[in-house]
Amino acid sequence: MTHPFLFLQWLEQQLHLHIGEHVTYSWLVMIILIVVAFLATRAISIVPTGLQNLMETVVTGIEGLLEETMGEEGKDYFPLIATFALFILVSNLIALIPGFYPPTANLNTNAALALTVFVMTHVVGFKKHGAHYLKHFMGPIWWLAPLIFVIEIIGHLARPLSLTLRLFGNMWGHEIVLMIFLMLVPLFLPIPMMLMGVLVAFIQTFVFTLLAMIYIAGALEEAH
């Protein structure tokens, strides 16, 4: 924990609960997304304005990236990818609010997201190709298949570890740096760091989402 005061943690203490700040703030992010989705869709109009216009822009951007990365087949996985993108982005951005903790600065949250990507990648692969999906792990030369299989397994197992540590390291590191500046110069110096935090939040969301799309797209491809 880097923040000197966390609102939801204080609330937990008053209620004598022991849930964990990464869980409570994950719930908060989900509530925020549900409320925003309700407000954006409660009065849909042909010519969007306000929140509907904003959310349509966001959804269109994610859909465009999905099509460029995964092709037409990737549209089936839009709900999964969009959920990753929106959850991670909001989780990253709430760190800029005093008293709020980013769930993505905790290894448990990031590991859950990364393992979901890992499991879905292989579920999609077996659903698409059946037992032939195993050819992805064998390589193009049959007599090298045992060696390639071991290398591929290690590479695939490293994916959730890489996704987890990359997101955790960047968000935790930013939290540490921001709190150090807040303690040293509490007035104006942290402002540039907070602006950089917005950039970091978007970049890390983009990287995680893009890698998730690349992994699933790889599972959809035919083995060579």
Side-chain angles (χ1 to χ4, degrees):
M1 183 181 71
T2 56
H3 286 281
F5 172 79
L6 295 176
F7 174 73
L8 291 184
Q9 189 183 52
W10 171 83
L11 190 59
E12 278 185 55
Q13 293 172 352
Q14 303 307 307
L15 298 174
H16 303 289
L17 299 174
H18 302 282
I19 301 174
E21 63 269 9
H22 66 288
V23 177
T24 54
Y25 281 94
S26 293
W27 291 346
L28 176 63
V29 170
M30 288 187 282
I31 291 171
I32 291 172
L33 291 174
I34 292 170
V35 170
V36 170
F38 172 76
L39 294 176
T41 57
R42 64 176 178 172
I44 297 178
S45 61
I46 298 177
V47 181
T49 58
L51 190 57
Q52 180 190 341
N53 188 34
L54 173 63
M55 292 309 299
E56 284 193 10
T57 302
V58 172
V59 169
T60 302
I62 297 173
E63 186 177 20
L65 180 63
L66 188 72
E67 289 184 14
E68 290 180 11
T69 307
M70 301 180 66
E72 287 293 320
E73 214 170 7
K75 288 184 177 181
D76 294 337
Y77 308 98
F78 174 80
L80 176 67
I81 298 301
T83 300
F84 278 132
L86 293 173
F87 177 82
I88 294 173
L89 180 61
V90 176
S91 296
N92 292 348
L93 289 176
I94 65 170
L96 303 175
I97 304 173
F100 284 71
Y101 176 85
T104 45
N106 186 284
L107 276 173
N108 295 296
T109 305
N110 299 339
L113 294 170
L115 288 173
T116 302
V117 174
F118 177 78
V119 171
M120 283 303 301
T121 297
H122 300 297
V123 168
V124 167
F126 279 108
K127 182 180 178 181
K128 173 72 174 179
H129 305 289
H132 293 289
Y133 176 62
L134 294 174
K135 291 183 179 179
H136 283 76
F137 301 88
M138 300 301 182
I141 305 175
W142 67 268
W143 52 272
L144 281 177
L147 176 62
I148 299 298
F149 182 80
V150 173
I151 295 174
E152 286 289 335
I153 290 297
I154 294 173
H156 279 263
L157 291 176
R159 288 179 178 181
L161 182 63
S162 173
L163 287 173
T164 300
L165 294 180
R166 181 185 294 106
L167 183 56
F168 167 75
N170 281 278
M171 295 312 301
W172 177 258
H174 175 261
E175 286 286 287
I176 294 292
V177 171
L178 181 58
M179 292 310 300
I180 290 174
F181 277 112
L182 282 171
M183 288 185 292
L184 294 176
V185 187
L187 290 178
F188 299 109
L189 189 58
I191 294 177
M193 297 302 299
M194 294 180 71
L195 293 176
M196 187 182 73
V198 175
L199 181 62
V200 170
F202 277 92
I203 290 175
Q204 291 308 310
T205 301
F206 174 77
V207 170
F208 191 102
T209 306
L210 181 63
L211 288 174
M213 288 189 288
I214 291 173
Y215 294 155
I216 295 175
L220 290 171
E221 293 178 352
E222 293 290 340
H224 298 291

